[in-house]
Amino acid sequence: MLADQHLLRIPGPSPIPPSVQRAMNQTMIGHRGKETKELMQRIKPRLKPVFGTEQDVLIVSGSGTAGLETAVVNTVKPGDEVLVIVTGAFGDRFVKICEAYGVTVQRYDVEWGAAFDPAYIKAYLQDHPTIKAVFATYCETSTGILNPIQELCKAVHEQSNALVIVDGVSCVGGVETEVDAWGIDLLVTGSQKAMMLPAGLTFITVSEKAWKVIENNEQARFYLDLRKYRKSLSEDSTPFTPALSLLFGLDQVLNLFEEEGLQAVYNRHELMKNMTRSAFKAMEIPLLTADDVSSPTVTAIKPADFAAEDLRKVIKREFNLSVAGGQQHLQGEIFRIGHMGYCSPADVLQIIGIMEIGIKKIGKNIELGQGMRAAQEVYLQQEVLA
Amino acid sequence: MLADQHLLRIPGPSPIPPSVQRAMNQTMIGHRGKETKELMQRIKPRLKPVFGTEQDVLIVSGSGTAGLETAVVNTVKPGDEVLVIVTGAFGDRFVKICEAYGVTVQRYDVEWGAAFDPAYIKAYLQDHPTIKAVFATYCETSTGILNPIQELCKAVHEQSNALVIVDGVSCVGGVETEVDAWGIDLLVTGSQKAMMLPAGLTFITVSEKAWKVIENNEQARFYLDLRKYRKSLSEDSTPFTPALSLLFGLDQVLNLFEEEGLQAVYNRHELMKNMTRSAFKAMEIPLLTADDVSSPTVTAIKPADFAAEDLRKVIKREFNLSVAGGQQHLQGEIFRIGHMGYCSPADVLQIIGIMEIGIKKIGKNIELGQGMRAAQEVYLQQEVLA
C-alpha cells in the first residue's frame, strides 16, 4: 500500500486543505501585539455569514465539548430544569454535562437514526413551563441525522421563554445555519469538522435574550465565562492566550469559503450526501436515516447481511480509508462516512469505488460499478438542475 | 468547486507526499557542515536499490533536461557519431542536445505509440561500427511506451562497444530498473516523477565502461562534469551548492520506499496501469499503446469519437483534475493520465469515476460505472493472484 496516504473520511476530524496547513505553519507572533489584533479584525466580520448572524461569534480555545460545557455553565445553574433532546451520543453528552453541574435534566429520547419532533417539544413545554432551556443537536454525528432546528426554535419560542441551545459541531460550515432568522439563542460548533481546521477552537453565538440570562447567571465559571470573551472580542482580542496557529488557519478557511461561495459550499455538501446515499441504495444496502432528515455532512449505513466492522477493516487495510463505526448500542451495527469540509464529489467517487471493492471482498455479491453509476447519475442530474 | 483541491494526474510533476513536504520544510543547514555530510551518507547507499546498481548514484541539481545534457557532454564530443532512438518527444530532446554539441546523430524513428525493436538496432550497429553511443528512452512520457531497455542493452553489447545511455526520467522509482544486471552504461532520471519530489534533482548512474569514456572525453564542461560529482560523492559531498531542501525530501522518499518495499511499489504501479487500461477498454475508448509495451507510470488514450481537449476541459473545470494532452503531432489527439509516485489504486478509482462523468458530459454515450467495474475487477483479480 502507498505509504503516507491516509484517506480520512470519518465524520471529523476532517482533512485540512493544504493552504490552511501552510497558513498554520506561519511564524508565531505575540498574542497581544498589533498583528494578532489585525488577525482578529479580519476574522470577526467574516465569521458571521457562516453562522447567519449579525452577532459577534465568540471563539474559545478548546474542543467541541468545551463549547458544549460553555453553553451549559453560562446559561443554567444547579437546580434549573432543562429539556435535553437526545437523538444520539452527542445529545447524551449535553445530559452528562448538565448533570455534572447539578442541573435537573428532563430527557426527550428519540430512537437513534430518527429526528426529533418539534410538535412533541411544544406540547411538552406547555405541560412543563418551568423548563429554562432546551438543548438540541443540529447534526447528530453518531447517526447522521440533521435535526429540524428552525422548526424547534419556532415551537419553543411560541410556547415558552426557554432558551434554545444548539450543538452544531458536526455540520456548521457545511449546511445553511441561520442563527438570527431562526432564533437560535446559543449555537456551538467546533473547528475540526466542516470548518476544515484541526480540533482546538469552538465557536459560540449568543442571542440578546441569552445574554440577559448569561449576565445574571450565578453559576461559577472562569475560563468558559462568555462575558469575558464578549468584552475582549469587542476590543478585537481574547481574554486568554488564543490558539494562534488555528486562528491563522481560520483566516485562510474564511478565504476558501469566500472563494467558493457559501451557497456553493452548502450545495456541494448536499450533492455529496445525495451521491453517497444513492450509491448505497443502488447496492441495496440500508441507510440508517431517512432522506428528508439526513445530514449533508455524514452518512450512516446499516448493512443487513454483512458485518460493518469487516468492511471497515478491509478498506483500512487495503486502501487506508478510515470511516467511523457505530457508537454505544450501534457499535458493530453501522458504519459512518464523513463527507464534510475539505471533501469534494471527486472524493465521494473515490470512497464509493473503494467501498464496492471492500463489500465484494468481504463476500457480499454486489454488481461492481452499480453504486458508482448511481452516484455519477446524481452528479450529472444535479448539474442539469443547477 | 471545492477551493484548494487540485488533482494532479499529469505524467509529472507528480504530487508530493505530505511527509516529504514536511521534510522539505525543515530548517536550512550549512551545505558544507556535518549535518549535510550525514544526510549524504544516509542517502547514498539507499538510492542504489532504486536503480539496481552497486555504483554510487550521482546527484546533480537541475531538471531532467540537465540530466540528459549531462549524459551527452560527458560521453561524446563534436564529430562523434551516435544513434538516437526516437519513440516520442523525449527521444527528440536527446537529438537536439547532441546536435547542439556538434555530435553526428543517426536517428532511428519509431512511430509514436510503439516501442523500438532491439533487433533492428543490433543489425544497424553491425552495419555502422562507428557508433559511439546509443541513446534511448525507457518510459517515453509523450506516448506512455515502456521501451525494452534490457533487450536493448543485450543487443548493443553483443554487437558493439557503443555505450547504452538511457533516459529513465518518467519511470525510475516506479518500475524495476536493473542498471548493473542489464548493463545500462549511463542512466538519467529526474526527481519530479516516480521519485515523488519536486523537480530540481537529476540522478545519474555510470558504468565502469562509461567512466573510461568520460574520463578521457575532451568535451568542455564544468557544472555538468560527472568527474567532479564522483569525486565529491566519494567524500559524501557535492561539487556545487546542492538543492538542500530536495535532499531533505529525498531522504524521506527513501524512507517511504523502504516502508512500502520496492517490489510493492513496482507492483502498485503495474496494478494502476492495468486498472486504468481496463477501464478504457471497457468503455471501448482506444488506448495509444499495446498492452505489452505500456508503461506502469503513464497511460495515453486516443479517443476515436470525441475530442481529447473537450474532456480535459470539463474534468478540469468541474473537478480540478489535470491530465496531460498530446505533444507535437499528437496534440489534440490524445490525453495522458499520470499514475506514478504518490498515487494509489484508490486514486485511480477516483480518476476513472471522474473520467466517466466527463466523457458522458461531453456527449459520448457510455454506460456509467462500466469502466469503474473493469478497474475494480482488475484490482480484485490481482489480489487473488498475489
Side-chain angles (χ1 to χ4, degrees):
Chain A
M1 188 167 66
L2 176 59
D4 205 27
Q5 182 176 56
H6 188 182
L7 305 172
L8 182 67
R9 299 300 174 199
I10 60 174
S14 62
I16 311 299
S19 66
V20 175
Q21 197 81 58
R22 290 194 301 276
M24 292 191 300
N25 283 344
Q26 116 181 28
T27 305
M28 200 43 60
I29 58 177
H31 65 300
R32 295 300 179 221
K34 182 164 165 285
E35 293 91 342
T36 300
K37 198 183 185 77
E38 288 167 354
L39 177 63
M40 293 302 289
Q41 284 168 343
R42 277 201 305 281
I43 287 170
K44 206 164 69 167
R46 296 154 72 220
L47 259 184
K48 294 179 182 186
V50 180
F51 295 82
T53 182
E54 289 302 315
Q55 312 156 28
D56 279 347
V57 180
L58 306 171
I59 305 174
V60 175
S61 296
S63 74
T65 300
L68 302 186
E69 182 159 341
T70 302
V72 171
V73 295
N74 281 275
T75 57
V76 293
K77 59 182 185 300
D80 279 357
E81 189 179 7
V82 303
L83 175 65
V84 179
I85 310 172
V86 181
T87 56
F90 289 91
D92 219 40
R93 185 155 304 179
F94 259 144
V95 172
K96 289 195 175 77
I97 296 170
C98 286
E99 288 178 347
Y101 282 97
V103 172
T104 302
V105 174
Q106 305 298 339
R107 290 176 70 114
Y108 163 33
D109 273 289
V110 178
E111 189 193 359
W112 287 33
F116 62 69
D117 176 10
Y120 172 92
I121 293 152
K122 189 171 180 180
Y124 184 91
L125 291 175
Q126 192 165 22
D127 296 344
H128 299 79
T130 51
I131 295 289
K132 292 275 179 68
V134 177
F135 289 84
T137 316
Y138 191 1
C139 170
E140 174 51 64
T141 321
S142 61
T143 65
I145 277 289
L146 192 78
N147 279 306
I149 297 301
Q150 183 175 10
E151 293 75 9
L152 172 71
C153 292
K154 190 163 180 287
V156 173
H157 296 325
E158 278 177 3
Q159 185 60 50
S160 90
N161 269 322
L163 298 177
V164 177
I165 296 174
V166 175
D167 166 1
V169 171
S170 63
C171 66
V172 173
V175 301
E176 193 187 9
T177 307
E178 296 293 344
V179 160
D180 292 354
W182 297 351
I184 302 173
D185 289 303
L186 194 150
L187 174 76
V188 176
T189 194
S191 48
Q192 76 278 19
K193 309 265 183 171
M195 296 297 288
M196 305 195 286
L197 287 165
L201 295 181
T202 175
F203 305 97
I204 298 153
T205 67
V206 183
S207 70
E208 280 310 312
K209 180 175 160 190
W211 274 124
K212 291 197 179 75
V213 175
I214 291 170
E215 280 156 8
N216 297 308
N217 188 22
E218 293 151 13
Q219 170 65 51
R221 73 265 200 199
F222 192 83
Y223 182 68
L224 301 181
D225 188 342
L226 284 173
R227 294 169 297 192
K228 293 185 169 75
Y229 289 88
R230 177 169 60 167
K231 178 169 183 299
S232 292
L233 193 57
S234 74
E235 298 155 0
D236 303 315
S237 187
T238 54
F240 312 110
T241 312
L244 262 175
S245 67
L246 297 176
L247 294 180
F248 295 152
L250 175 59
D251 194 21
Q252 176 58 17
V253 164
L254 294 170
N255 288 341
L256 295 179
F257 279 156
E258 288 161 9
E259 185 182 327
E260 184 174 359
L262 264 184
Q263 189 57 54
V265 170
Y266 303 151
N267 293 348
R268 169 167 55 81
H269 282 81
E270 184 71 15
L271 175 58
M272 294 194 294
K273 171 188 80 172
N274 292 333
M275 289 171 71
T276 306
R277 294 179 67 85
S278 295
F280 286 95
K281 285 179 191 172
M283 289 188 269
E284 298 181 346
I285 298 171
L287 298 160
L288 179 66
T289 59
D291 285 347
D292 59 338
V293 289
S294 60
S295 174
T297 56
V298 50
T299 297
I301 296 102
K302 193 171 188 301
D305 51 5
F306 63 86
E309 292 304 298
D310 288 350
L311 178 62
R312 291 216 304 138
K313 268 178 215 141
V314 74
I315 63 176
K316 177 74 180 156
R317 186 182 69 225
E318 303 218 358
F319 296 97
N320 211 7
L321 169 59
S322 294
V323 300
Q327 292 174 291
Q328 299 186 21
H329 67 275
L330 288 179
Q331 200 176 357
E333 299 295 313
I334 64 168
F335 60 95
R336 293 173 297 145
I337 300 171
H339 34 76
M340 65 174 74
Y342 189 62
C343 186
S344 70
D347 296 319
V348 171
L349 295 173
Q350 182 176 53
I351 295 165
I352 294 166
I354 293 172
M355 283 284 171
E356 290 188 326
I357 289 177
I359 291 164
K360 191 88 175 182
K361 282 208 84 158
I362 61 170
K364 183 170 164 66
N365 188 25
I366 56 164
E367 188 194 324
L368 289 170
Q370 195 171 36
M372 176 60 61
R373 179 167 60 244
Q376 290 169 323
E377 279 166 357
V378 167
Y379 181 91
L380 288 163
Q381 190 57 34
Q382 181 261 3
E383 289 286 300
V384 172
L385 296 173
Chain B
M1 188 169 63
L2 175 59
D4 206 27
Q5 182 176 57
H6 188 182
L7 304 172
L8 182 66
R9 300 301 174 198
I10 60 174
S14 62
I16 312 298
S19 66
V20 174
Q21 197 81 58
R22 290 194 301 275
M24 291 191 299
N25 283 344
Q26 113 183 31
T27 305
M28 201 43 60
I29 58 178
H31 65 299
R32 294 301 179 224
K34 182 164 166 284
E35 293 91 342
T36 300
K37 199 183 183 76
E38 287 167 354
L39 177 63
M40 294 301 290
Q41 285 167 342
R42 277 202 304 282
I43 288 170
K44 206 164 70 167
R46 297 155 70 219
L47 260 183
K48 294 179 182 185
V50 180
F51 295 81
T53 183
E54 289 302 316
Q55 311 157 29
D56 280 346
V57 180
L58 307 171
I59 304 174
V60 175
S61 297
S63 73
T65 301
L68 302 186
E69 182 160 340
T70 302
V72 171
V73 295
N74 280 276
T75 56
V76 293
K77 58 182 187 301
D80 279 357
E81 189 180 6
V82 303
L83 176 64
V84 180
I85 310 172
V86 181
T87 57
F90 289 92
D92 219 40
R93 185 155 303 179
F94 259 144
V95 171
K96 289 195 176 77
I97 297 169
C98 286
E99 287 178 347
Y101 282 96
V103 173
T104 303
V105 174
Q106 305 298 340
R107 291 177 68 114
Y108 163 35
D109 274 288
V110 177
E111 190 193 359
W112 286 33
F116 61 69
D117 175 11
Y120 173 92
I121 293 152
K122 189 171 181 181
Y124 184 92
L125 291 174
Q126 190 164 26
D127 296 344
H128 299 78
T130 51
I131 296 289
K132 293 276 179 66
V134 176
F135 290 84
T137 315
Y138 191 0
C139 170
E140 175 51 65
T141 321
S142 61
T143 65
I145 277 288
L146 192 78
N147 279 305
I149 297 300
Q150 183 175 10
E151 294 74 9
L152 173 72
C153 292
K154 189 163 181 289
V156 174
H157 297 325
E158 279 177 4
Q159 186 59 49
S160 91
N161 269 320
L163 298 177
V164 177
I165 296 173
V166 175
D167 166 1
V169 172
S170 63
C171 66
V172 172
V175 301
E176 193 186 9
T177 308
E178 296 293 346
V179 160
D180 291 355
W182 297 351
I184 302 172
D185 290 303
L186 194 150
L187 174 76
V188 176
T189 195
S191 48
Q192 77 278 19
K193 310 264 183 172
M195 296 297 288
M196 305 196 285
L197 286 165
L201 296 181
T202 174
F203 305 97
I204 299 153
T205 67
V206 183
S207 71
E208 280 310 311
K209 180 176 159 191
W211 275 124
K212 291 197 179 74
V213 175
I214 290 169
E215 279 156 8
N216 297 309
N217 187 22
E218 294 152 12
Q219 171 64 50
R221 72 266 200 198
F222 192 83
Y223 182 69
L224 301 181
D225 189 342
L226 284 173
R227 294 169 297 192
K228 293 184 169 73
Y229 289 87
R230 177 168 60 166
K231 179 169 181 302
S232 291
L233 192 57
S234 75
E235 298 155 1
D236 303 315
S237 187
T238 54
F240 313 109
T241 313
L244 262 175
S245 67
L246 297 176
L247 294 180
F248 295 153
L250 175 59
D251 195 20
Q252 175 58 17
V253 164
L254 294 170
N255 288 341
L256 295 179
F257 280 155
E258 289 162 8
E259 185 183 326
E260 184 174 358
L262 265 184
Q263 190 56 53
V265 170
Y266 302 150
N267 292 348
R268 169 167 55 81
H269 281 82
E270 184 72 15
L271 176 58
M272 294 194 294
K273 172 189 81 174
N274 291 334
M275 289 171 70
T276 305
R277 294 178 68 84
S278 295
F280 286 95
K281 284 179 190 171
M283 290 187 269
E284 297 181 346
I285 298 171
L287 298 160
L288 179 66
T289 60
D291 284 347
D292 59 338
V293 290
S294 60
S295 173
T297 57
V298 50
T299 298
I301 296 102
K302 193 172 188 301
D305 50 6
F306 64 87
E309 292 305 299
D310 289 349
L311 178 61
R312 291 217 304 138
K313 268 178 215 140
V314 73
I315 62 176
K316 177 74 179 157
R317 186 182 69 226
E318 303 217 0
F319 296 97
N320 211 7
L321 170 59
S322 295
V323 301
Q327 292 173 292
Q328 298 186 22
H329 67 277
L330 287 180
Q331 198 176 359
E333 300 294 311
I334 63 169
F335 61 96
R336 294 173 296 144
I337 301 171
H339 34 76
M340 64 174 76
Y342 188 62
C343 187
S344 70
D347 296 319
V348 171
L349 295 174
Q350 182 176 53
I351 295 165
I352 293 166
I354 292 172
M355 283 284 171
E356 290 188 327
I357 288 178
I359 291 163
K360 191 88 175 183
K361 282 209 82 156
I362 61 170
K364 183 170 163 69
N365 188 24
I366 56 163
E367 189 194 324
L368 290 170
Q370 194 170 38
M372 176 59 60
R373 179 167 61 242
Q376 290 169 323
E377 278 166 357
V378 167
Y379 181 91
L380 287 163
Q381 190 57 34
Q382 181 259 3
E383 289 286 301
V384 172
L385 296 172

